[in-house]
Structures are given as structure tokens and as C-alpha cells.
Amino acid sequence: MSAHRDRAPHARPARATRRARAPHRRGASLLVVVATLAVLALVVATLVTGARASVRQASQARTRTALAARADLARDEAIAEVHAGAWRTLGDIGGAIALPVTATPDTVITARVGRAAWDALVVAIALRARGGVAGLDAHVARRLDIPLRTPWPMPRAPLTGVHPWARDAGAVVTGHADDGDSTRRCVERVPAAGPSERLVAAPSLAALLAHPGAQSLDPDTAPPVVQGLVVLDGGRSLERPLVVRGWLVATGALAVRAPLRVEGVLVAGGAVDTPAGGRVHVTGAAWSLDDVAGRARLGPRDTVRWAPCLVRRVRAALAVPAPIAAWDADHGG
């Protein structure tokens, strides 16, 4: 009886302790539940965000694929325009003009051709369309490098020959007949080699004579002013005054017995001479391919004025686009 009484006081504090700890256990369990729900909510949000990003990426990819196909079509149209001669209105290096390509209502397309160098063109095409996501556009670009083939090299001096030109007293050879400081641009950092340049290897007249723009010149019936690439058969002399704007190509010796003015390039396959009454005035450049020294001669009243920009222009008139050297694509989103 007394033992029972002795244990009872100790039992009551134990039950009180368990009742005191119960709320703490419930609070801890609640925290675990809340944390678990938060983790689950984060996982769900991550999955939803990833799914939305995948949808956006897929939409953008579809838009870029369609835009790339449209860019290929615009590229082909631009190449056709270049081969049709759209580039011929270009000026100096760095100039560019727009090319007409087929437009679509949902796509912004720009196509331009520029002169990257005197003998090279660059075509740039850019397309932009909505990328399937609000506020985000898809972009595609194309670049084409197109060399130009010219049937005659660019001279570096007013007189060029297999042998040095002979010049009588009174003959005048001057430099820089171009306006302003354009000469430096037109020789592309290659300074003039002095009044004359001696050829190491002479070019062939065949490329000039085979050019589709070549036209035969009959000195007896020709009008006083001719333009383009005119060809004078060897052995024919010029007995009447003549102005040539472009190219005068003599397949053999050239005898000038009347005033001759060439605004561009004079090319003689043989000797050049101005007997009594003849006179040659060239603004541009003069070539002689005669293989005998001293037979390319400027008379006492002859003048050659070095004008490389004019030479560039008349060379460009004969240039044709070569096959595409390279092209690359740049995709963006």
C-alpha cells in the first residue's frame, strides 16, 4: 500500500511530459508536410517552365527553318539580278545598292550588292520574321562573295609595254588626270610605277578579241565618236579624226595619220607610230605588245594622261561575274 503511494507521485510528471511534447511533434510533422509540398510545387513549376521553353524553342526552330528556306530563294533571286547586270551601277569600292527580291507580308527582307574590291562583289541578304514568341524575332542572313573576271589586267602606269615606249621631244606623259584624290583608291594602294611599266609577261589579246562586246572598227566608215570595245585590224591606219570612249584595240601595228583621242585604254598588238599629221591623245592608259624595242613611239605632239579611275570604269564595263567563291549562313533567334 505504501509502495503504491510511493510510485504514484513519479507517474504523474511522466504523463505531463508526454503531453507537453505532443504539440512539438505535430509542429515538426506539419513542417515536413509544408516542405514536401513546396518541393513538389517547385518541381511542378520547373516542369511547366521547361515545357513552355521547349514549346517556344520548337516554335522558333520552325520559324527559322521556314525563314532559311525563304533566304535561299532570296539568294537565288539576288544572284540572278547580279548576273543580269544590276551591279554595273556601282561606283567606287564600298558602294552598295539594293536588289529587288520577292517580298512576303510576314517577313522583312533586304538584299544588297556592294563592291568589296574593284574585282569583287559581295551580296548581303537579311531576313527577319516573328519567331513564334511574343517580342522575339527570328533572323537569317546570307553572304555571297562573287569575283569579277576582266579580260585585261589593270595597268600600274600610263605607259605599259613589252619594251619601254620611245618618246620624241615634246611628247607629254602626265600622272593623275583623275579628280581630287581618287587616284589612290583606284590603284588600290599600288603606286604608279613611274611614267612607264615594262611587262614581265605580256597578256594575250585573245581574251579581249573574244569578248562578246567587241566590235570591229572600219576606219573609213566609222563615225567620229565610237564607244565600247572597238577592234582595228592590223595593218589598217587611221586617216580621219576619231574619238574612242572605252577601248581601242589594234590587233597589229597602229599608224595614226589624223588626230586620235582615246578616253580609256589604248592597246596595240604591234608598233605604234604617228606619222606627219597624226596625233595621239590618251586619257587613261596605253599598252604596246610589240616585241621589237623602240617601235612603240610617242610623237612630238602626243600626250598620255594617267587616269586609273577612268581605266577602272572601262575595265568594269567588260567584267562579268565569276562563279560564287563562297557563301555562308548565319542564323539567330
Side-chain angles (χ1 to χ4, degrees):
M1 190 69 178
S2 61
H4 178 71
R5 292 192 187 98
D6 292 337
R7 288 194 300 272
H10 296 287
R12 284 192 297 270
R15 286 194 296 271
T17 301
R18 285 194 294 271
R19 285 194 300 269
R21 290 176 179 174
H24 293 288
R25 292 194 185 99
R26 288 194 297 271
S29 299
L30 182 59
L31 288 176
V32 171
V33 172
V34 171
T36 301
L37 292 175
V39 171
L40 290 175
L42 180 61
V43 170
V44 171
T46 302
L47 292 175
V48 170
T49 301
R52 290 176 178 173
S54 297
V55 171
R56 287 197 299 268
Q57 291 174 358
S59 178
Q60 288 176 300
R62 288 192 299 269
T63 301
R64 283 197 297 269
T65 299
L67 206 58
R70 182 67 191 85
D72 291 340
L73 178 59
R75 176 200 64 200
D76 294 342
E77 291 178 334
I79 293 174
E81 290 291 334
V82 169
H83 281 274
W87 63 276
R88 293 193 180 277
T89 59
L90 288 170
D92 290 352
I93 297 172
I97 59 172
L99 294 174
V101 294
T102 303
T104 55
D106 58 345
T107 304
V108 178
I109 305 175
T110 58
R112 298 178 67 80
V113 59
R115 191 184 294 279
W118 281 107
D119 293 328
L121 303 175
V122 59
V123 174
I125 301 169
L127 292 86
R128 185 180 79 249
R130 292 183 179 179
V133 179
L136 188 61
D137 291 344
H139 303 267
V140 172
R142 295 283 189 269
R143 176 191 169 95
L144 304 150
D145 297 314
I146 305 178
L148 292 174
R149 290 178 176 172
T150 308
W152 199 254
M154 177 68 191
R156 298 191 305 165
L159 296 176
T160 303
V162 174
H163 297 282
W165 285 65
R167 289 184 286 169
D168 291 346
V172 177
V173 178
T174 65
H176 303 180
D178 294 315
D179 295 333
D181 196 34
S182 59
T183 296
R184 294 184 180 179
R185 297 196 307 273
C186 293
V187 295
E188 289 184 334
R189 302 178 185 175
V190 178
S196 64
E197 176 190 7
R198 185 171 180 176
L199 293 172
V200 176
S204 171
L205 285 177
L208 278 175
L209 301 179
H211 193 277
Q215 51 185 313
S216 296
L217 175 70
D218 183 347
D220 297 329
T221 61
V225 179
V226 293
Q227 300 187 58
L229 172 56
V230 295
V231 179
L232 179 66
D233 290 338
R236 301 293 301 274
S237 61
L238 292 175
E239 306 286 345
R240 302 189 307 165
L242 179 67
V243 175
V244 178
R245 292 175 178 150
W247 296 75
L248 174 59
V249 180
T251 61
L254 175 62
V256 181
R257 304 180 186 277
L260 168 65
R261 178 182 294 272
V262 177
E263 299 171 3
V265 182
L266 168 65
V267 181
V272 179
D273 192 19
T274 52
R279 185 175 59 189
V280 171
H281 180 83
V282 177
T283 300
W287 294 69
S288 170
L289 305 183
D290 191 72
D291 56 5
V292 178
R295 295 204 307 183
R297 176 179 295 276
L298 293 179
R301 297 190 298 169
D302 296 340
T303 302
V304 177
R305 302 175 67 218
W306 173 228
C309 287
L310 178 57
V311 175
R312 289 286 186 189
R313 288 193 289 271
V314 299
R315 286 180 78 248
L318 303 185
V320 294
I324 297 172
W327 70 274
D328 48 47
D330 178 24
H331 298 268

